């Protein structure tokens, strides 16, 4: 197995976090305060608790202020929106992240709509989605932003490449397609109703798989030399043969290695990029809100 085929997202994310952290002291000097990220967690979903804990740790490690709000499952939509409005009005808060999913009695669209777009470091607000679509400066959702950084790091110019994004979610698939289009790729968005997915994937120079179905993309679907970004994080059942609870992506990694030019592993590929991009977006939000020029090269 040739390791130069494996895209080390963990190392790239560590570098980005370092670049963010090293830009914080100059911001503190100019603005007289630290950049601040508020994270709101509703309920006690174990996976969300782990994500929120990791976000807090990374925020503090980057020299930023972390504000954490843990609300019970029973909180009403109105109470949650009131908290968001308080955070919008709080000058020490540059970024607001409401961890998804929310309990079923809360409409996540209404909550996201309440976030000030200037503090929407998740890039989920329709204003940011719209800005991305029309090519204006926008906060871009962290996972697709991280995927794009890994692709550009590996390929340089993406112009003219055939890119296939598998998955059409608002959080990953759609913004990913917009980002690739802005890089002059020819973009196809495939999804659960796509016919002959294997044939669609076979034409791709770049594949971003974000469907959440373990090892769905097979090695022989891939064009020789294709670059594969695997967003999937699927835990196989403890009863699943010899695999026993292993984490796998949406791409059959071992099979794919024989075909690809490069591929992100799971774990250690896209996952670490998401938090690093959240810190990057928070630093950019802080600069914009303070009327300062955001540092280049992030
Ligand atoms: N849940 C899973 N990923 C994310 C994310 O990137 N942002 C938020 N807010 N919730 C999530």
């Amino acid at each position: 197995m040739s390791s130069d085929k494996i895209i080390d997202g963990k190392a790239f994310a560590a570098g980005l976090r370092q670049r963010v952290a090293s830009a914080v002291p100059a911001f503190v000097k100019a603005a007289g305060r630290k950049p601040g990220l508020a994270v709101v967690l509703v309920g006690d979903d174990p996976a969300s608790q782990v994500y929120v804990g990791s976000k807090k740790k990374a925020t503090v490690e980057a020299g930023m202020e972390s504000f954490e709000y843990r609300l019970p499952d029973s909180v009403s939509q109105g109470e949650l929106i009131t908290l968001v409005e308080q955070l919008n009005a709080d000058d020490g808060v540059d970024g607001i992240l409401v961890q998804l999913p929310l309990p079923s009695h809360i409409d996540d669209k209404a909550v996201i709509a309440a976030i000030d777009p200037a503090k929407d470091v998740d890039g989920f607000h329709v204003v940011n989605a719209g800005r991305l679509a029309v090519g204006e400066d926008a906060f871009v959702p962290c996972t697709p932003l991280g995927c794009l950084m890994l692709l550009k790091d590996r390929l340089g110019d993406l112009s003219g490449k055939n890119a296939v994004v598998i998955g059409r979610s608002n959080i990953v698939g759609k913004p990913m397609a917009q980002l690739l289009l802005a890089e002059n790729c020819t973009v196809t968005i495939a999804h659960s109703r796509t016919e002959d997915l294997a044939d669609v994937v076979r034409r791709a120079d770049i594949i971003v798989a974000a469907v959440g179905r373990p090892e769905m993309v097979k090695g022989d679907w891939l064009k020789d030399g294709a670059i594969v970004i695997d967003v999937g994080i699927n835990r196989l059942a403890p009863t699943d043969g010899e695999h026993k609870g292993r984490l796998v992506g949406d791409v059959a990694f071992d099979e794919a290695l024989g075909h690809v030019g490069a591929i992100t592993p799971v774990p250690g590929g896209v996952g670490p990029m998401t938090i690093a991009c959240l810190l990057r977006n928070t630093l950019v939000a802080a600069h914009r809100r303070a009327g300062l020029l955001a540092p280049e090269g992030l």
Side-chain angles (χ1 to χ4, degrees), residues 55 97-100 122 124 274:
K55 285 168 185 171
L97 181 149
V98 179
Q99 185 68 28
L100 302 179
D122 255 332
F124 293 170
T274 300

Side-chain angles (χ1 to χ4, degrees), residues 14-297:
L16 176 55
R17 283 169 62 166
Q18 186 51 51
R19 292 195 294 284
V20 169
S22 56
V24 168
F27 175 85
V28 174
K29 197 161 171 225
R33 62 177 183 84
K34 293 180 180 181
L37 173 65
V39 176
V40 181
L41 174 62
V42 180
D44 48 16
D45 176 62
S48 291
Q49 284 184 340
V50 171
Y51 289 140
V52 165
S54 310
K55 285 168 185 171
K56 180 179 183 176
K57 184 164 171 276
T59 306
V60 172
E61 279 173 8
M64 300 186 188
E65 204 77 67
S66 167
F67 308 99
E68 198 179 308
Y69 297 84
R70 291 181 181 243
L71 304 176
D73 232 350
S74 58
V75 74
S76 71
Q77 182 170 311
E79 286 167 322
L80 180 55
I81 289 178
T82 299
L83 171 60
V84 168
E85 286 167 352
Q86 282 164 3
L87 297 172
N88 285 343
D90 185 336
D91 242 355
V93 172
D94 297 294
I96 301 171
L97 181 149
V98 179
Q99 185 68 28
L100 302 179
L102 290 169
S104 56
H105 67 277
I106 298 178
D107 174 11
D108 48 7
K109 284 196 173 71
V111 175
I112 290 165
I115 298 172
D116 178 352
K119 297 190 177 189
D120 172 36
V121 288
D122 255 332
F124 293 170
H125 194 287
V126 289
V127 164
N128 281 311
R131 283 187 184 146
L132 175 63
V134 297
E136 282 179 29
D137 247 353
F139 286 112
V140 175
C142 300
T143 299
L145 180 59
C147 294
L148 183 72
M149 288 180 184
L150 294 178
L151 281 169
K152 289 177 79 168
D153 183 57
R154 184 55 69 135
L155 286 171
D157 185 11
L158 308 185
S159 228
K161 305 275 186 208
N162 275 326
V164 172
V165 178
I166 315 175
R168 55 176 155 178
S169 71
N170 291 335
I171 295 181
V172 183
K174 286 180 198 165
M176 188 75 243
Q178 296 287 2
L179 288 169
L180 292 165
L181 191 58
E183 295 292 331
N184 304 310
C185 292
T186 302
V187 183
T188 303
I189 306 178
H191 46 77
S192 53
R193 304 288 176 89
T194 297
E195 289 181 5
D196 300 325
L197 181 60
D199 279 349
V200 173
V201 170
R202 255 180 219 116
R203 292 195 290 269
D205 305 307
I206 293 169
I207 295 104
V208 179
V211 265
R213 292 183 51 189
E215 302 182 320
M216 187 190 76
V217 177
K218 306 301 177 199
D220 65 3
W221 294 13
L222 300 165
K223 174 165 148 179
D224 275 348
I227 308 296
V228 177
I229 304 290
D230 191 347
V231 182
I233 302 178
N234 311 289
R235 191 171 290 285
L236 296 178
T239 49
D240 198 341
E242 79 269 26
H243 300 305
K244 294 194 183 41
R246 210 161 46 93
L247 273 188
V248 299
D250 291 347
V251 180
F253 183 84
D254 292 343
E255 287 177 25
L257 269 182
H259 299 267
V260 296
I263 183 168
T264 56
V266 177
V270 173
M273 290 300 293
T274 300
I275 290 185
C277 287
L278 175 66
L279 301 178
R280 181 249 173 227
N281 282 356
T282 303
L283 185 71
V284 170
H287 280 79
R288 287 187 187 158
R289 292 189 57 256
L292 299 167
L293 212 57
E296 302 269 326

